[in-house]
Amino acid sequence: MTLLQNTEMDSVEYLVGHDLVQRWCGMEMKLSNKDIITIANTGLVNAGKSSLFNALLDEYEQERFKVGPVRTTTQGKRAHLNDWVDILDTPGIDVTEGDDEEAFRSLTESDLIIAVHNIKLGMLNRAEYEWLKALAGRMSKEEIERKIIFVCTWIDERERQDGYRSAVEETRRQAYESLGTNRIPFMEVSAKRYILGMKKNNPALLKASRLPEFKAFLLKRADEARAFIDAQRGHELMALCRETREKLSEQKRELQNIVREQEEVVQRRHQPALDNWKYTLENFVFSRDRVEDKLKALLWEGESSDDIQLFRSNLNRM
């Protein structure tokens, strides 16, 4: 399905920016995956996004999504969680502008969004807070509450330390504040414990990881989204259309204002010269009229032909 032609995309990008084009690309991808619910993650580099998705896939022998001490995801990567749910691993935010743009495109492509925070680093930093705020700014309150799930990862690294609970509660407060609602799921998990529990076949570690509980909740949310998939995607498409139209109209108004301002500048700059030329023209017309009147008077009074010829000559010189 093609929502906008390439030339139309170029026009939108030129007039209102690359971000909106990325979101149109994401919307087109979403609508092309008609019967698939897409769940994307988002968060800082090393927040634990890829590790969390590997755990959801039970990928403990080999990593479906690469993890490491430096960023390993620069483009959205998909995997099948089941026959009707895909998970989409996105680039970490606040690294490069390109990564942020790719992340926004991937999130537009998704039906559910897992906002991932590394709790061992404490509460949200400014980049995370502003990112969530910007993300919420592109959605209605109802859409935020329906789509976003907030998850604290790496609880195994911090859970037994002093101040852990206060860090979690402060993170919860920040998340609700940045997203503009306290009606979003807020969960704590450990992908590391889950993978270790799978390797060792240790039920206690699996339970302590809280991953089975999280996965069950995620699939329940995905099933709820699937029940209203056409209506929800249609609503999102209409919202994107309205936003694009409003931004194009705003740009049109701005350009019209610029043209008017330039016209006023040109008029002010050249008005004195225009006034001078008008004055000169008025004087010329006045003088010519006087000469023509004089010529008519002479003709009427029967002056000599030589005098008349002289007046004609003077008239032609003016």
Side-chain angles (χ1 to χ4, degrees), residues 26-296:
M27 179 60 69
E28 186 165 339
M29 180 64 73
K30 179 190 287 189
L31 294 177
S32 68
N33 293 323
K34 183 172 177 57
D35 299 318
I36 299 295
I37 294 295
T38 299
I39 304 173
N41 58 26
T42 189
L44 293 173
V45 171
N46 293 332
K49 303 187 303 298
S50 298
S51 296
L52 176 62
F53 274 9
N54 284 330
L56 288 173
L57 292 168
D58 290 336
E59 293 285 354
Y60 54 91
E61 294 295 341
Q62 62 180 16
E63 297 171 344
R64 179 72 63 88
F65 301 109
K66 294 295 181 182
V67 301
V70 296
R71 69 177 183 137
T72 55
T73 304
T74 56
Q75 290 185 327
K77 297 179 181 178
R78 282 180 173 268
H80 299 303
L81 188 59
N82 61 27
D83 291 341
W84 53 275
V85 177
D86 279 3
I87 53 178
L88 181 61
D89 193 27
T90 70
I93 63 171
D94 200 36
V95 179
T96 69
E97 184 177 345
D99 285 350
D100 287 358
E101 290 176 352
E102 173 65 20
F104 265 129
R105 186 200 63 76
S106 297
L107 295 180
T108 305
E109 189 178 330
S110 66
D111 299 289
L112 296 173
I113 299 169
I114 304 173
V116 183
H117 171 66
N118 185 345
I119 194 60
K120 70 181 179 181
L121 300 179
M123 62 185 188
L124 298 181
N125 68 20
R126 179 175 292 276
E128 290 176 287
Y129 184 93
E130 294 299 331
W131 176 261
L132 291 175
K133 192 173 180 179
L135 186 60
R138 288 168 164 78
M139 304 181 191
S140 66
K141 186 175 181 180
E142 183 274 333
E143 191 177 357
I144 294 167
E145 294 172 352
R146 173 170 50 81
K147 291 184 69 172
I148 296 181
I149 302 163
F150 194 96
V151 177
C152 290
T153 57
W154 296 102
I155 62 174
D156 51 282
E157 299 282 342
R158 185 75 187 270
E159 199 172 28
R160 293 185 177 86
Q161 296 178 6
D162 293 340
Y164 170 75
R165 185 45 50 190
S166 61
V168 169
E169 292 309 314
E170 176 60 17
T171 300
R172 186 196 302 269
R173 184 196 68 78
Q174 289 179 303
Y176 291 164
E177 183 180 79
S178 61
L179 293 169
T181 177
N182 61 3
R183 299 184 62 184
I184 58 170
F186 186 98
M187 309 182 78
E188 304 160 51
V189 301
S190 170
K192 182 179 178 181
R193 277 181 186 161
Y194 181 79
I195 291 173
L196 187 61
M198 291 291 291
K199 287 180 178 180
K200 294 185 175 183
N201 194 24
N202 186 324
L205 281 175
L206 295 176
K207 183 177 180 180
S209 74
R210 306 181 191 176
L211 244 299
E213 175 187 350
F214 173 66
K215 185 173 182 178
F217 173 81
L218 198 60
L219 289 174
K220 181 174 181 293
R221 271 297 178 96
D223 193 46
E224 292 170 354
R226 183 168 61 160
F228 302 99
I229 186 171
D230 291 335
Q232 289 172 357
R233 290 179 177 181
H235 176 76
E236 291 175 20
L237 177 59
M238 290 302 99
L240 186 57
C241 287
R242 284 193 298 271
E243 182 181 353
T244 303
R245 185 172 62 248
E246 288 169 2
K247 288 189 174 182
L248 288 171
S249 297
E250 180 181 350
Q251 183 70 5
K252 180 181 178 180
R253 288 192 296 271
E254 290 179 0
L255 291 173
Q256 287 173 334
N257 289 335
I258 290 172
V259 170
R260 279 194 296 269
E261 289 172 1
Q262 290 300 314
E263 287 176 342
E264 291 172 1
V265 168
V266 171
Q267 186 174 12
R268 287 195 302 269
R269 182 180 300 163
H270 298 288
Q271 190 64 46
L274 180 62
D275 292 341
N276 286 336
W277 279 109
K278 284 183 178 178
Y279 178 75
T280 301
L281 178 61
E282 289 170 358
N283 283 338
F284 172 80
V285 171
F286 176 74
S287 299
R288 183 182 179 89
D289 289 346
R290 286 187 62 189
V291 171
E292 288 181 341
D293 290 343
K294 182 65 173 176
L295 180 60
K296 289 176 182 177

